[in-house]
Amino acid sequence: MTDKKLRKYSSQVTDGVEHAPSRAMLRAAGFSDQDFTKPQVGVASTWSMVTPCNMHINTLAEEVNRGVDEAGGKGIIYNTITISDGISMGTEGMKYSLVSREVIADSIESVSGCMAHDAIISIGGCDKNMPGCMIGMARLNRPSIFIYGGTIQPGKNHTDIISVFEAVGGHASGTVSDIELKQIEETAIPGAGSCGGMYTANTMASAIEAMGMSLPNSSAQDAISKDKQEDCLRAGEAIMELIRRDIKPSDIMTKAAFENAITVVIALGGSTNAVLHLIAMAHSIDVELGLDDFTRIGQKVPVLADLRPSGQYLMSELIQIGGIQPLMKMLLDRGLLNGDCITVTGRSLAENLADVEPYPEGQEIIHAFDNPIKHNSHLVIMRGNLAPEGAVAKITGKEGLSFTGTARVFHSEEESLKGILDGTVVKGDVLVIRYEGPKGAPGMREMLSPTSAIMGRGLGQEVALITDGRFSGGSHGFVVGHVTPEAYEGGPIAIIENGDQITIDAEKQEISLHLSDDEIRARLDAWKQPEPRYKRGVLAKYAKTVASASEGAVTDKYL
């Protein structure tokens, strides 16, 4: 394949006498004369041994490279970072989690931009890998495909990572013994792959597939499986076709494609993090997407999947009945998806779904439209005098649709967890965890430890929790996050006091502090912004550049 049009970028560093030094270095990295005539495909691997989500991705990257080479391209593997939410959860280290999304995006843009790759295939396996990969590829806007690393197998007795977090709360309440806690700890995570419920990893993988940026079924494959290996091989052939046809992320990641992604996330009962990440991904490709789009789409799309954390089943069980492709076919036939959107197959979404078989009779994971889990979205965008710029709630209906209670205020996740485990938090409380926003934490930690402790202590129906931080996809209960403006920016969440009354109303989509406007103004006038918690390093840089959670917490919006 010698057509220079197919080497739009790589020819800039490989062709001509003046680029002999570039070729010399590439020869040392394994290039032959023939390789210089092929399109170069950067294979961005998030392999790392810091987490089971990504510890197998080096082998997947090798399969992708082989697929590219067999299809007539030249694959070039490089690495970007990953961190583990699950391991760092509830610690100071978790502040780096959302920050890592930007580091991943920056590194993919930097490497493939610098090395003049003609196309990019990225492979992600943990929460921030996926939007990070997508943002990096979108910024460069060269033919691109995302591959999901795949989901983990269930642990013993149908357990997963959330089982361990909730067992900690059960241990505090006396319902889980030392031995039982250790047994769950030892068996809940059996090997490689992303966390097993419809948590953030599986949510984002599904959203990206629905958007058309992954090959069909990429989001619904076990991490260690022949199907996942074949997904990687097929990506090589697909990327070469995208190069030939010059199909780029901007052709695929349209407003309609983002609406398809939101629709599928809602139908699956996916993570609140999808709101944050989809808005950020849209920003990276110059598509206008905001909180109101989630409200608009959520009014007509039901929750159909009985998946954890609020449901019963794991992703591995959804895979066994066909994954998300039959669900997408259901949504398309119902008129809830735009079938004209182009995808990385080079075909439209409707064409990809044309021959998809329905779910088997008798399966109970995906409900019919006439028997939904919830008739509209579980992702409820709320506003009110407590969140004038918006907040994101995850309300399945199982925890009720409204809650009024007494504020119990904590200035960090650690403070709140201690209050839950030692019995300070009681029935009727609305936990307020503040100064955990993008700027204030900095880094907008996930409140999985507190929400899991609440569930483990049996308070899931008895208390609510609001925060300017965010939630793990594994969180459930009456929870509201992404409260904006955040406390560090002087939002009303900063001036709540213990004993104040708060109402969360999912039907009215309101979150209200029961104070007069005059009282709120007086408290805000008396409030003083705290000193930054970090004054140098990546967290300090992030705090200086990050936008509001309602704007996706991106770091290049106001440059």
Side-chain angles (χ1 to χ4, degrees), residues 105-150:
D106 291 349
S107 64
I108 289 175
E109 179 188 2
S110 298
V111 174
S112 282
C114 174
M115 303 306 295
H117 295 150
D118 299 297
I120 307 163
I121 298 174
S122 61
I123 317 165
C126 196
D127 296 10
K128 309 311 167 299
N129 300 165
M130 285 171 270
C133 288
M134 290 292 293
I135 291 168
M137 294 190 300
R139 287 176 185 169
L140 287 174
N141 199 30
R142 300 172 191 183
S144 299
I145 296 174
F146 176 79
I147 297 173
Y148 181 38

Side-chain angles (χ1 to χ4, degrees), residues 132 275 482:
V275 179
H482 307 205

